[in-house]
Amino acid sequence: MRFATLAVDGSEQAAVLVNERWVPLNAIDARLSGDLMALIASEPDGAALSDIGRRAVDIRPAIPIEAAAYRPPYRHPRKIWGIGLNYGDHAADLAEKTPEQPASFIKADHTIIGPGDDIVIPRQSERTTAEAELGLIFGKVSQSVPAARALDALFGVCVILDQTAEDILRINPRYLTRAKNFPGFFSFGPEVVTMDEFLSDQEIQDVVVATFVDGVEVRRNTIGNMTHGPAELVRFHTDMMPFFPGDIISSGTPGAGLLHDGAVAKATVSGLAPLVNPARKERG
């Protein structure tokens, strides 16, 4: 199933895609919140989600895909983990080696923007990049999850554009949190797709992730070429701490595209709708 959050009558409303149209969840059932995070936090099983889809079929009004105004799927996950240098090619771009264990960092929810929102290049940076990534969204409280069951812990996946102030990071690698946490440095959406649908016609190792800037492909690679694949990322991080419904692991990029004032960044992941954000330089 495919979920999104849309701008509807001046508010943000979670919706489910049925027959090429978005049906607001609260039109299906008044008890369903307009917040997609609330649905994920309820830890629905497959039967509950199928019931939502079945009941949505006859609901009117609905919003055609081409008329949808997408917002961030949700705004306040308890945590966002990013993964650095998870492809050898990208590590080489930064004159680094891929680490033996995941090189991870935390981002705060003030960094969140949605499709079409501006990525603001901070005035402190002259080299800010955008990085396409596959996002892993937890669907249940998870701790010490074995790799063999790791994907079962996920509600679904999304497309991410993760931004980095590379020049700040190059001053000192200890500045990673600073370089990753400017406002607008985490875009995700436009949809959240459940694991069963995402993997219905593809193997996860064959999924292709690609970064574009101004319509030019910067780099693409497959999940199978990650140093640490999705299952290992879930295992490694849940061994460290508990994860909660809606928490996100941004699994690493095949390559980063340099942004400039007026640039347009795009991330694509096979099986998901693309994510596009314009960029502008912070004034003042």
Side-chain angles (χ1 to χ4, degrees), residues 157-170:
V157 295
C158 63
V159 182
I160 288 169
L161 277 168
D162 179 43
Q163 281 62 255
T164 308
E166 280 191 2
D167 45 355
I168 291 174
L169 180 59
R170 286 174 173 173

Side-chain angles (χ1 to χ4, degrees), residues 79 81 106 142-144 234 236-244 247:
K79 53 183 167 288
W81 273 102
I106 279 185
S142 303
Q143 190 164 19
S144 299
V234 170
F236 179 86
H237 288 85
T238 62
D239 270 354
M240 185 195 321
M241 63 177 66
F243 278 68
F244 300 92
D247 284 353

Side-chain angles (χ1 to χ4, degrees), residues 2 31 110 163 182 219 227 259 272:
R2 295 175 183 264
R31 295 170 297 180
H110 72 269
Q163 281 62 255
F182 288 96
R219 185 74 58 75
T227 303
L259 298 177
L272 303 178

Side-chain angles (χ1 to χ4, degrees), residues 230-276:
E232 173 59 13
L233 294 176
V234 170
R235 183 209 64 77
F236 179 86
H237 288 85
T238 62
D239 270 354
M240 185 195 321
M241 63 177 66
F243 278 68
F244 300 92
D247 284 353
I248 303 169
I249 294 178
S250 190
S251 60
T253 185
L258 182 63
L259 298 177
H260 58 84
D261 193 31
V264 177
K266 182 172 75 170
T268 64
V269 175
S270 50
L272 303 178
L275 172 64
V276 180

